[in-house]
Amino acid sequence: MSSVSPTGVAVGPQDGGGQGEVRPPRRMGFGGFSINVRQSGIYIAFALIVVLFSVLTDGALLQPQNISNIIVQNSYILILAVGMILIIIAGHIDLSVGSVVAVTGAVSAVLMVNYGVPWPAALLVTLFVGGLIGAWQGFWIAYFGIPSFIVTLAGMLLFRALTLTVLGNQGIGPFPDAVRTLSNGFTDGYLGNIGLGPLGGADLFSLLVGLIAVAGMSAAQWRARSARLSYGQTVDPFPAFVLKLAVGAAVILFLVVQLARFKNLPWVLVLLAVLVLGYSLLANRSVFGRRIYAVGGNLQAAVLSGVRVKSVVFWIFVNMGVLAAMAGIIFAGRLNQAGPTAGGSFELDAIAAAFIGGAAVQGGVGKVVGAITGGLIMGVINNGMSLIGSPSERVMLVKGIVLLAAVAFDIWTKRRSGTAAR
């Protein structure tokens, strides 16, 4: 049965099987080192995919310019994945985000290009329009009781039609320099370059940002470990904890050094870092975040424990609309025009990123960082197969297999944990 937390929020199944029963997560041990297969498997798979394509491309995948390209080219999908993971955790789906990207990109173009509205005001209006679109869909889902699949499927058609109505068969552009910089630009070398021996020069400011990120990650992990110990919970052995920190720090520093050697940090990476940090805190540290998990984990228990389910569902769709508008601005700015075909299949990529990143099909399970990792896996597959000259149909084949494997792995781990509990 589900329990009720001290905050009054029902705690549903986070790692186990159905019917509200929480079972121990499946773990694999290697000496004194153990991993949670469900939570860590995605990161291991990501590392293996990167290593594979690094070998196949003779190291071209991890070159500074290519890493920067992967981040910039997939930024709008990663933004959508942040909002999509919250919707899937709550047990819903949104098929309309690609069309919302298109219509909000069109709105921003009309405001800035056709009517000359200053870009800061135009961006705020576009985000507000995205929020209204999310509120429209959230109302029918939360308060009228229509399944999210149906509402957002209708929205996919409706907002695509609105895009064609606004733009016709032509694009609108070019966008102001500031918007293009947000989509394609890089931070300035505020402190100049520093020599890295055989690696050449690198932006000092970017390197300092990387060191601050490593320090922040280490402090957060240490604090979380200390909190678990104070409550008598099981934690990894100290050597394993240090090893995990070292691996995470090495990955962050490698990426930052490579970016600093090219054109510094992309502005969209800065935006993504803010979104990931903010939404991770929202999902893991706030009452609202716990209620999202409660709604998806065990709806009946959430209702009985006093969670305002309709309000939670309404606001996660409002949030999705705002993030879709943000992605629409980024995508239009990157192309330097808003086009009628923008956002095609973006909803499928965002949904795939969430599921590959560890979201459960039934809801109640998932992490923002996992969704970002899932989106990067798709991006690395696209980029790596492009570098080795694979045709588009082969790329789609591999992405489909990866998605199916991720969902199959989710179901397999649930069954294994259920068997172990019996």
Side-chain angles (χ1 to χ4, degrees):
M1 297 293 293
S2 293
S3 59
V4 179
S5 72
T7 59
V9 178
V11 181
Q14 299 296 308
D15 264 300
Q19 305 305 320
E21 183 179 356
V22 180
R23 296 188 174 97
R26 181 70 175 176
R27 302 185 72 90
M28 294 180 62
F30 304 91
F33 182 78
S34 66
I35 60 172
N36 184 322
V37 176
R38 180 182 178 82
Q39 294 181 359
S40 303
I42 181 63
Y43 307 110
I44 296 172
F46 183 39
L48 293 176
I49 290 172
V50 170
V51 171
L52 173 63
F53 281 108
S54 297
V55 173
L56 294 177
T57 61
D58 295 324
L61 181 77
L62 296 179
Q63 290 300 309
Q65 182 175 355
N66 195 62
I67 291 176
S68 180
N69 289 339
I70 291 174
I71 294 172
V72 173
Q73 291 170 3
N74 294 279
S75 57
Y76 35 88
I77 298 299
L78 299 179
I79 292 172
L80 293 176
V82 171
M84 189 66 71
I85 188 68
L86 299 183
I87 286 179
I88 291 176
I89 289 171
H92 293 276
I93 201 76
D94 191 342
L95 301 176
S96 68
V97 292
S99 296
V100 178
V101 164
V103 73
T104 51
V107 168
S108 67
V110 168
L111 291 174
M112 286 183 276
V113 179
N114 289 1
Y115 292 99
V117 177
W119 69 265
L123 296 190
L124 291 176
V125 171
T126 302
L127 295 178
F128 180 73
V129 170
L132 288 179
I133 291 173
W136 162 266
Q137 299 194 121
F139 167 78
W140 292 109
I141 296 165
Y143 295 103
F144 210 78
I146 303 177
S148 58
F149 180 89
I150 301 300
V151 172
T152 58
L153 179 61
M156 179 175 66
L157 302 174
L158 172 63
F159 301 124
R160 181 63 63 180
L162 287 177
T163 303
L164 294 173
T165 301
V166 172
L167 297 179
N169 292 321
Q170 62 183 6
I172 297 179
F175 277 73
D177 291 341
V179 178
R180 295 203 303 271
T181 299
L182 176 62
S183 304
N184 294 313
F186 300 84
T187 57
D188 294 328
Y190 302 109
L191 302 177
N193 277 19
I194 184 173
L196 294 178
L199 295 177
D203 177 52
L204 179 58
F205 177 78
S206 299
L207 297 178
L208 291 177
V209 169
L211 292 174
I212 293 172
V214 168
M217 178 199 70
S218 302
Q221 292 296 319
W222 179 265
R223 182 177 179 183
R225 175 185 169 86
S226 300
R228 292 190 185 99
L229 286 173
S230 66
Y231 286 107
Q233 297 177 355
T234 302
V235 297
D236 290 324
F238 187 73
F241 172 74
V242 172
L243 178 61
K244 289 180 179 180
L245 278 184
V247 171
V251 170
I252 292 174
L253 290 178
F254 174 79
L255 291 176
V256 171
V257 167
Q258 294 294 77
L259 292 172
R261 291 174 58 204
F262 180 54
K263 291 184 179 179
N264 307 334
L265 303 177
W267 277 113
V268 289
L269 178 60
V270 177
L271 175 62
L272 280 169
V274 172
L275 291 177
V276 170
L277 179 60
Y279 279 91
S280 294
L281 292 175
L282 172 71
N284 300 325
R285 302 284 182 177
S286 71
V287 173
F288 183 77
R290 292 170 186 164
R291 288 174 177 171
I292 295 174
Y293 282 99
V295 170
N298 193 316
L299 180 59
Q300 292 76 16
V303 172
L304 292 175
S305 61
V307 174
R308 299 174 61 186
V309 173
K310 294 180 180 180
S311 176
V312 170
V313 172
F314 175 80
W315 284 110
I316 60 174
F317 276 93
V318 172
N319 174 73
M320 185 73 256
V322 173
L323 290 177
M326 187 180 299
I329 294 168
I330 297 296
F331 184 70
R334 180 170 176 267
L335 297 182
N336 203 22
Q337 72 168 6
T341 61
S345 299
F346 281 14
E347 61 279 347
L348 302 181
D349 288 335
I351 292 169
F355 283 127
I356 292 173
V361 178
Q362 295 87 353
V365 176
K367 290 184 176 180
V368 172
V369 175
I372 294 295
T373 305
L376 288 174
I377 286 177
M378 303 292 278
V380 168
I381 291 174
N382 281 330
N383 183 268
M385 297 193 73
S386 175
L387 289 175
I388 62 178
S390 296
S392 58
E393 63 270 17
R394 192 173 301 169
V395 176
M396 290 188 288
L397 174 66
V398 172
K399 290 167 66 175
I401 292 173
V402 169
L403 175 58
L404 181 62
V407 177
F409 178 77
D410 169 59
I411 295 173
W412 177 76
T413 53
K414 285 182 178 179
R415 289 176 178 175
R416 290 294 296 268
S417 62
T419 302
R422 296 186 182 92

